[in-house]
Amino acid sequence: MKRLDVIGNVSRDVTRYPDHRGGAHLGGAALFVALAATRAGRPAAPVCVLGEDLAHLPQAQRLDGIDWSARGEGAGPSTTFDLRYDLRGELVDVRTEYGAAERLTDHALAHVDRHPDDTYHVCCRRPLDAAAVLGRLVHHGATFSVDFFLPSAENMIRRTAARLNRASTVFVNAAEYLLLLSIIDTSTLREVVVTDGPRPARVWALGRQIASVTPPPRSPNEVSGAGDTLAGTFLAHRSQGATPAEALAEAVDAAARFVAAPPYPIPAQRRT
């Protein structure tokens, strides 16, 4: 089975909710997509740039299933996200310091050139130049999927619109799907997975709905990373021959379990 190379951030996150949930923990789309795919049976590697503060992650026990060989390392701190949510789990505000991830585009482009036959998932969010990366993937004829992050989704969708019909799967939430509909003809997209919090998740293929799954009721603890968990699980099961409906059911269940679980603590560096 081909490895899934996940281009995106691995970060330090601080989440805040009105009911005082949240706090500091490990985050980043590249991490959670890769971790979910690995747990669903598909080898996966974050294509990321770790700062000095997270350079020890490859030795962390809870993350030892991930293939860290595609990572880069840079001077200074890793990306940090300060994320504020409402009680429904909708993102209200985000503040970001990209740190070492400012090198992510160059690192990703070099990785694609070295491994043009790999399968990719691209987390289309800053500071990545997603248009350049998708252009390089299309140039090499690589198989790839994409997702977006609402604060930058409109800009990213517009910049990548010409390449999205080459994606195997596009992952969006309900608000991002409305942006997608306003920018491109979604009937040209092979597969679109649309999530909507506790409401049904759906799969659309060439403009036609082909699957719908309602998440099981779970009391949410941490929503940051749930969509990434869904994406990684869906991609893993699709690569193993599951139908869109079967893969969506597995992905929705994995995301529901993720939001009910405690967040990942930032592991301490091991003493030598």
Side-chain angles (χ1 to χ4, degrees):
M1 183 185 302
K2 277 191 174 184
R3 185 181 73 179
L4 181 65
D5 293 359
V6 187
I7 299 175
N9 295 314
V10 174
S11 61
R12 289 176 171 268
D13 289 1
V14 176
T15 54
R16 308 175 192 274
Y17 298 85
D19 58 2
H20 306 297
R21 282 180 293 134
H25 54 86
L26 199 58
L31 173 68
F32 288 130
V33 172
L35 187 60
T38 299
R39 290 183 170 174
R42 181 172 189 179
V47 182
C48 62
V49 180
L50 300 177
E52 295 167 331
D53 54 335
L54 295 182
H56 63 290
L57 284 188
Q59 287 75 50
Q61 292 183 349
R62 291 186 68 186
L63 307 175
D64 57 6
I66 294 176
D67 180 348
W68 287 101
S69 63
R71 76 188 187 281
E73 295 182 0
S78 302
T79 301
T80 59
F81 289 100
D82 192 315
L83 303 150
R84 186 160 59 89
Y85 293 92
D86 62 21
L87 287 174
R88 297 175 299 172
E90 302 291 340
L91 185 63
V92 175
D93 185 48
V94 57
R95 298 179 182 181
T96 311
E97 295 289 340
Y98 297 115
E102 295 284 5
R103 293 182 46 236
L104 178 59
T105 298
D106 289 342
H107 176 67
L109 291 172
H111 179 85
V112 171
D113 286 340
R114 289 194 303 269
H115 304 278
D117 296 325
D118 285 6
T119 298
Y120 288 86
H121 180 74
V122 183
C123 306
C124 298
R125 53 198 75 186
R126 301 186 182 105
L128 185 70
D129 184 344
V133 171
L134 296 194
R136 192 68 56 87
L137 290 169
V138 170
H139 170 77
H140 287 299
T143 299
F144 66 91
S145 53
V146 302
D147 68 39
F148 297 94
F149 182 47
L150 186 57
S152 60
E154 182 172 6
N155 176 266
M156 288 288 185
I157 291 171
R158 290 189 185 280
R159 295 190 63 194
T160 60
R163 311 290 189 186
L164 293 183
N165 63 352
R166 300 289 295 273
S168 61
T169 309
V170 176
F171 294 89
V172 288
N173 65 23
E176 293 159 357
Y177 186 54
L178 293 178
L179 292 172
L180 195 67
L181 287 170
S182 71
I183 293 169
I184 67 173
D185 178 4
T186 57
S187 68
T188 65
L189 303 182
R190 302 178 196 180
E191 189 171 77
V192 182
V193 176
V194 185
T195 58
D196 195 11
R199 294 162 288 279
R202 295 181 169 86
V203 181
W204 298 76
L206 300 175
R208 182 173 64 90
Q209 183 178 311
I210 60 171
S212 176
V213 175
T214 300
R218 297 284 181 99
S219 297
N221 182 48
E222 180 56 73
V223 302
S224 178
D228 305 318
T229 299
L230 184 145
T233 306
F234 183 91
L235 291 170
H237 283 279
R238 288 289 277 142
S239 72
Q240 296 168 61
T243 66
E246 292 168 341
L248 185 64
E250 294 285 351
V252 165
D253 183 65
R257 285 186 276 109
F258 179 91
V259 301
Y264 280 77
I266 298 170
Q269 297 189 32
R270 293 183 180 180
R271 295 183 179 180
T272 56

